[in-house]
């Protein structure tokens, strides 16, 4: 077995939110090219749905981490825990898994936030924009792979094609009214939860100064930083120290909590932040 094969392999799409959390961990914790291999999997091209990738992760999700040819986990939580436990440089303290679980709650889901729409105008823009492009690209990839995949993967592609039917309909020029109205209401509820999360939940867990991990980022910090980056991006913010103020537009009047502003500022000073978000937030 070669040295490359012995190294852990991290599969990511660098513009997706949870792979970005894993990449923040990699760069913060001192991993170099001799410690880990990073492989880019293009979601827009449907590479995460290809039979060869499905053989590694039957969910088709990112990030995933393989060690010695075995898949350790198919989510950012498992991946980041491994990265912390095997890091060249120690991580900061973790506040516990409960806040990580809260960040990943459906009611503050950053991926649904990306696709969400609260009125007809937003829905039209999303359908014509990147969310709609990705859904249609996913459909094309699923149909292509379904025709040429091994027989044992047929149930997977059948299931995923059925799941994608809803998104195709929502982002079509004329979605069914019952479907559209339910989607708009769900989107409104999501952003109200996000508002409360930013104003209440995040400040409650952040220290007066420093990271949740104290002097250096810990487990909670990697997830929270990626979540904040996605939300700030959706509000039109930039990766610099002032970017976080863009969140104010979704807070219903109040300013961005000072703890959140200070926390964001700490991240923007780190090399890891510059490496992951050097082009733009995502």
């Amino acid at each position: 077995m070669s040295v490359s094969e012995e190294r852990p392999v991290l599969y990511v799409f660098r513009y997706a939110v949870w792979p970005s959390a894993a990449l923040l961990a990699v760069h913060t914790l001192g991993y170099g090219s001799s410690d880990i291999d990073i492989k880019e999997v293009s979601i827009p091209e449907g590479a995460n749905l290809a039979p060869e990738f499905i053989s590694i992760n039957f969910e088709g999700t990112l990030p995933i981490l393989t060690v010695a040819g075995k898949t350790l986990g198919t989510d950012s939580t498992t991946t980041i825990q491994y990265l912390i436990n095997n890091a060249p440089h120690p991580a900061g303290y973790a506040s516990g898994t409960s806040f990580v679980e809260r960040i990943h709650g459906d009611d503050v889901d950053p991926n649904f936030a990306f696709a969400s729409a609260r009125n007809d105008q937003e829905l039209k823009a999303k359908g014509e924009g990147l969310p709609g492009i990705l859904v249609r690209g996913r459909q094309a990839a699923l149909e292509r792979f379904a025709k040429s995949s091994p027989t044992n993967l047929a149930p997977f592609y059948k299931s995923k094609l059925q799941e994608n039917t809803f998104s195709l309909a929502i982002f079509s020029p004329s979605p069914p009214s019952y479907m559209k109205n339910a989607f708009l209401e769900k989107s409104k509820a999501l952003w109200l939860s996000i508002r409360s999360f930013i104003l209440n939940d995040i400040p409650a867990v952040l220290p007066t100064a420093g990271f949740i991990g104290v002097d250096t980022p810990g487990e909670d910090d990697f997830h929270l930083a990626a979540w904040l980056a996605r939300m700030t991006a959706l509000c039109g913010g930039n990766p610099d120290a002032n970017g976080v103020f863009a969140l104010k537009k979704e807070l219903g009047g109040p300013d961005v909590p000072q703890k959140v502003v200070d926390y964001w500022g700490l991240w923007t000073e780190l090399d890891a932040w510059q490496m992951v978000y050097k082009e733009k937030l995502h």
Side-chain angles (χ1 to χ4, degrees):
M1 182 178 291
S2 69
V3 173
S4 178
E5 290 173 330
E6 292 176 351
R7 286 196 294 264
V9 180
L10 177 64
Y11 295 82
V12 301
F13 177 59
R14 70 184 67 189
Y15 300 114
V17 56
W18 300 129
S20 296
L23 288 172
L24 284 173
V26 166
H27 297 309
T28 300
L29 297 171
Y31 283 90
S33 58
S34 62
D35 304 306
I36 193 169
D37 289 330
I38 298 176
K39 293 190 176 182
E40 186 79 9
V41 181
S42 176
I43 291 178
E45 295 176 3
N48 60 310
L49 301 170
E52 55 268 29
F53 185 78
I54 299 305
S55 67
I56 301 172
N57 174 14
F58 201 70
E59 295 299 320
T61 55
L62 293 164
I64 67 166
L65 187 73
T66 62
V67 178
K70 295 182 179 180
T71 301
L72 290 188
T74 58
D75 57 63
S76 58
T77 301
T78 305
T79 297
I80 288 173
Q81 286 172 348
Y82 176 91
L83 293 171
I84 289 172
N85 292 335
N86 296 274
H89 300 161
Y93 297 102
S95 70
T97 59
S98 61
F99 188 59
V100 172
E101 291 172 359
R102 181 71 191 93
I103 298 168
H104 286 265
D106 289 343
D107 63 328
V108 293
D109 181 4
N111 287 316
F112 182 56
F114 169 75
S116 66
R118 289 166 285 186
N119 54 55
D120 289 343
Q121 184 178 2
E122 284 187 3
L123 184 58
K124 184 176 185 293
K126 291 292 178 79
E128 294 174 351
L130 188 55
I133 291 170
L134 289 175
V135 166
R136 292 186 288 275
R138 178 181 176 86
Q139 182 72 12
L142 286 168
E143 291 175 353
R144 182 172 70 253
F145 293 133
K147 293 177 181 178
S148 59
S149 65
T151 305
N152 66 308
L153 293 182
F156 169 84
Y157 289 109
K158 180 179 180 180
S159 173
K160 292 300 180 183
L161 282 165
Q162 290 175 340
E163 290 177 11
N164 207 49
T165 300
F166 175 84
S167 297
L168 278 175
I170 281 294
F171 293 127
S172 68
S174 300
S177 295
Y178 76 92
M179 190 179 289
K180 181 188 74 172
N181 292 337
F183 184 78
L184 297 182
E185 290 305 312
K186 182 178 179 181
S187 297
K188 292 174 185 177
L190 175 87
W191 281 99
L192 287 175
S193 293
I194 288 171
R195 176 187 299 178
S196 177
F197 188 61
I198 294 170
L199 290 174
N200 302 306
D201 297 59
I202 296 177
V205 78
L206 288 179
T208 303
F211 297 97
I212 301 173
V214 189
D215 295 329
T216 58
E219 179 181 356
D220 308 75
D221 293 295
F222 300 126
H223 295 270
L224 179 57
W227 188 92
L228 281 170
R230 165 59 62 85
M231 294 306 164
T232 301
L234 294 177
C235 292
N238 297 313
D240 59 29
N242 292 321
V244 72
F245 291 110
L247 291 174
K248 179 178 171 61
K249 65 183 290 187
E250 291 295 343
L251 299 183
D255 291 330
V256 180
Q258 190 60 44
K259 278 188 174 183
V260 176
V261 173
D262 294 342
Y263 180 76
W264 177 274
L266 286 175
W267 268 109
T268 63
E269 295 174 357
L270 296 186
D271 290 342
W273 182 268
Q274 301 300 327
M275 296 176 76
V276 176
Y277 299 113
K278 60 183 177 181
E279 298 173 359
K280 61 179 182 179
L281 296 173
H282 41 76

